[in-house]
Amino acid sequence: MVRKHGRNLGLVHPAHTTMDCGRCGARAKRALPLSERTCTCDACGAVSPRDKNSARVMLVRAGLNPADADRGRPDGPQVRQAA
Ligand SMILES: [Zn+2]
């Protein structure tokens, strides 16, 4: 599938992706309860939805730049930015 779609596949160790901060990389002292949907970092104070935060952690681990992740597919048309 990866070759067919011309994508790069990066394997990322999934452990602690929900506990690490997507901005500063600090690890939370304890896992967020699943009912808690928003992740707040104790170290840098970053607040983000937990799924988005862990996605960011995985991108960093895969060696990608999460700053580009919100702008659609890398080889596809750019998503128009809101003015
Ligand atoms: Zn942080």
Side-chain angles (χ1 to χ4, degrees):
M1 281 298 275
V2 172
R3 228 175 309 132
K4 179 180 168 191
H5 294 283
R7 298 303 195 86
N8 295 317
L9 174 65
L11 295 179
V12 176
H13 201 287
H16 300 121
T17 49
T18 314
M19 292 172 66
D20 286 359
C21 172
R23 191 202 282 177
C24 72
R27 180 156 301 167
K29 290 174 192 69
R30 55 194 167 79
L32 228 50
L34 277 174
S35 58
E36 184 63 64
R37 303 311 299 170
T38 305
C39 169
T40 305
C41 175
D42 293 331
C44 74
V47 179
S48 54
R50 61 179 294 154
D51 293 336
K52 195 156 187 173
N53 181 67
S54 36
R56 206 166 277 267
V57 171
M58 286 182 250
L59 284 174
V60 172
R61 285 189 192 180
L64 301 173
N65 181 5
D68 293 335
D70 290 334
R71 273 180 275 137
R73 298 159 42 155
D75 56 346
Q78 289 288 304
V79 176
R80 196 173 308 204
Q81 297 290 307

